[in-house]
Amino acid sequence: SQTIHQWPATLVQPVGSPLSLECTVEGTSNPNLYWYRQAAGRGLQLLFYSVGIGQISSEVPQNLSASRPQDRQFILSSKKLLLSDSGFYLCAWRRPFRGYEQYFGPGTRLTVT
Amino acid sequence: DQQVKQNSPSLSVQEGRISILNCDYTNSMFDYFLWYKKYPAEGPTFLISISSIKDKNEDGRFTVFLNKSAKHLSLHIVPSQPGDSAVYFCAARGSNQGGKLIFGQGTELSVKP
């Protein structure tokens, strides 16, 4: 069976500090991978998606970036965090060419102070 | 521009009764729709989906109805149980958008014993 991991679960970072969130998927190969953010009281906003190693598409201009160094690893980064980067970050995966259901990880709660 | 809208931020239902969650969309190119359930501090869990070639899909206590002419879908939960209390998101996929999903803002369902 497939499993998706995210870490850390919670993170408190000062403004201007760097960020690195990691997501890994087990039990599948060549998944489509997605990063979402849920701000307080809001819906899920797609930030980045990737259909393969090194292939990143950005949906929203911001000070975040994403990378996919390995097939089942997806990393969300920032060089300098802003207060507005606070939120609940979710990674998701999907089997390409087999339906449109995405399966989400447990999420990371990021608080920028 | 909110292409997927859940106009009711919250809904309260008595245990055993029917819960009806609604979702409206504006893009006629959407061809696949999904419902997710989310508990606090967890990632969303896929519930049920429907293709635009159908008008109904059922899975146990959950039924999704699609009215394409009205650009409206709904999720029915019968009978409602206290464990159904969560935030429910609808999502849609555009026919020219690969695997990307657009999510609504969510409706918080509270099922009271």
Side-chain angles (χ1 to χ4, degrees), chain A residues 8-24:
Chain A
T10 60
L11 191 59
V12 180
Q13 293 283 95
V15 169
S17 63
L19 173 74
S20 181
L21 303 180
E22 189 163 345
C23 169
T24 59

Side-chain angles (χ1 to χ4, degrees), chain A residues 78-97:
Chain A
S78 174
K79 292 182 179 177
K80 289 186 177 182
L81 284 168
L82 306 173
L83 284 173
S84 57
D85 291 324
S86 292
F88 192 51
Y89 288 82
L90 291 155
C91 181
W93 72 276
R94 166 188 167 252
R95 294 183 187 90
F97 313 116

Side-chain angles (χ1 to χ4, degrees), chain A residues 36-79:
Chain A
Y36 289 87
R37 176 172 59 204
Q38 183 186 19
R42 305 289 295 276
L44 302 176
Q45 180 186 37
L46 178 64
L47 302 175
F48 300 95
Y49 69 96
S50 171
V51 298
I53 295 174
Q55 300 180 59
I56 307 294
S57 296
S58 174
E59 290 294 301
V60 182
Q62 59 213 327
N63 70 320
L64 299 171
S65 62
S67 62
R68 184 170 177 175
Q70 301 180 43
D71 181 45
R72 289 170 287 176
Q73 184 185 30
F74 205 21
I75 297 172
L76 183 69
S77 304
S78 174
K79 292 182 179 177

